[in-house]
Amino acid sequence: MAHDHASQGHSHGPGHVHGSTDKKRVLIAACLTGGFMVAEALGGLLTGSLALLADAGHMLADSIALGLAWYAFHLAGRPATGRLTYGFGRVKTLVAYTNGIAIFVIALWIVYEAWGRLMSPAPVLGGPMLVVAVAGLLVNIASFFVLNGGDRGSLNMRGAILHVLGDLLGSAAAIAAALVILATGWMPIDPILSVLVALLILSTAWSLMREAAHVLLEGVPASLDRDLIAKDIEATVKGVREVHHMHVWSLDGTSNMATLHACLNDGVDPHMAVSAIKKRLAAEHGIDHATVEPEFGLCADSHDEHDHHHDHDHAHDAPRDRRYYH
């Protein structure tokens, strides 16, 4: 059925092999990051280093993100149900959005603490701080190499790698702060670099929330242009006179879907036209699941009062070609 195809589209053939190994790689990276996050937080409390605490906060956010990436691979193999006809793919997106809010809170707390320490610098144990920071760097390097051997074409894996690279920068900042403290005894470097890590966390959180919100709002994926796709179908699929009422969205950030009305010329076989449209969408635009409504003559919705008001209300949007809008 249609929903089975959408929810299990990555569970067959070579993609399934990649998914299985990537799932293990992400789990290993999540355990490494989450495990050392606890050690780094304790190290930050013992040494008095806000930079270590900031990096621990970043590693906390990224261990959650890696855990979500693992959970996404785990859910990919679960079938849809009668109540959740699209499956469980959007759970990751929903949790990612709330995770982004939590990261914002952590980052703002770090900035608040850093301001207080700049006003009244606190002593930091540079030696132990350096040891913990170097250990954190080694853990992050190990996580990076574990993930880097996975499927680089997977958006999920690429996102996980970006999170670990962010942790690498955080550990490097903590090492730099420890070296400055050991060499000069200048304590303000610790809160200063912790603010830089906080800004990195805020950037990560904003990107995460923006992408998750776009998926939840069923926006057109960044890699696709809905209007150009419609025009491509009109130009390449024989018998299609016009495409309208087209919607393109992503179920979970990776599985793209579409619905559209295809106005056909008289005498065209609707089954053949729909099949050709679906093949074109899959082969050229990466849309593996599409619902196509074939039409002859007037659109069945053309006299719908609700649609008339909807188009009127959104006239200020000035779309490039309004016929593609519902």
Side-chain angles (χ1 to χ4, degrees), residues 64 68 91-105 205 208-209 212-213 216:
I64 294 174
L68 289 172
V91 171
K92 180 194 74 170
T93 307
L94 183 61
V95 179
Y97 187 80
T98 54
N99 181 30
I101 296 175
I103 298 172
F104 256 101
V105 173
L208 182 67
M209 292 176 66
L216 293 174

Side-chain angles (χ1 to χ4, degrees), residues 137-148:
L137 183 67
L138 294 176
V139 169
N140 290 324
I141 290 174
S143 296
F144 175 78
F145 278 109
V146 167
L147 293 174
N148 200 46

Side-chain angles (χ1 to χ4, degrees), residues 38-266:
V38 176
E40 191 167 42
L42 292 174
L45 293 173
L46 293 174
T47 62
S49 170
L50 186 59
L52 282 181
L53 288 174
D55 192 40
H58 194 203
M59 292 185 78
L60 170 63
D62 286 351
S63 62
I64 294 174
L66 289 168
L68 289 172
W70 172 85
Y71 193 53
F73 284 120
H74 175 70
L75 287 177
R78 295 182 61 179
T81 69
R83 298 289 295 174
L84 296 172
T85 57
Y86 279 124
F88 299 83
R90 206 163 262 186
V91 171
K92 180 194 74 170
T93 307
L94 183 61
V95 179
Y97 187 80
T98 54
N99 181 30
I101 296 175
I103 298 172
F104 256 101
V105 173
I106 293 173
L108 291 176
W109 174 81
I110 291 170
V111 172
Y112 174 78
E113 285 291 314
W115 177 257
R117 292 199 181 196
L118 283 172
M119 296 296 99
S120 179
V124 177
L125 302 176
M129 175 185 174
L130 180 62
V131 172
V132 175
V134 169
L137 183 67
L138 294 176
V139 169
N140 290 324
I141 290 174
S143 296
F144 175 78
F145 278 109
V146 167
L147 293 174
N148 200 46
D151 179 15
R152 297 299 295 275
S154 166
L155 291 176
N156 208 10
M157 284 297 290
R158 281 159 57 188
I161 291 171
L162 285 176
H163 280 292
V164 172
L165 286 175
D167 287 333
L168 277 169
L169 293 176
S171 295
I175 290 173
L179 290 174
V180 169
I181 290 172
L182 288 173
T184 67
W186 192 53
M187 298 300 172
I189 188 64
D190 180 63
I192 288 174
L193 288 182
S194 69
V195 169
L196 293 179
V197 176
L199 293 176
L200 178 66
I201 297 175
L202 286 172
S203 174
T204 302
W206 174 250
S207 176
L208 182 67
M209 292 176 66
R210 183 180 60 187
E211 292 177 11
H214 191 75
V215 173
L216 293 174
L217 290 172
E218 298 190 340
V220 178
S223 60
L224 301 176
D225 187 314
R226 188 272 315 272
D227 295 349
L228 290 181
I229 293 173
K231 291 175 181 176
D232 174 68
I233 293 173
E234 293 173 348
T236 60
V237 178
K238 186 178 180 180
V240 176
R241 179 162 51 86
E242 180 187 338
V243 170
H244 55 256
H245 286 189
M246 185 173 188
H247 301 270
V248 180
W249 72 99
S250 176
L251 184 65
D252 56 6
T254 57
S255 302
N256 298 324
M257 313 183 78
T259 61
L260 60 95
H261 290 193
C263 188
L264 307 179
N265 294 321
D266 291 339

Side-chain angles (χ1 to χ4, degrees), residues 73 113 121 125 157 172 198-199 239 269 272 289 293 299 306 318 324:
F73 284 120
E113 285 291 314
L125 302 176
M157 284 297 290
L199 293 176
D269 183 342
M272 296 293 291
H289 180 95
E293 180 178 333
C299 173
H306 172 75
Y324 302 132

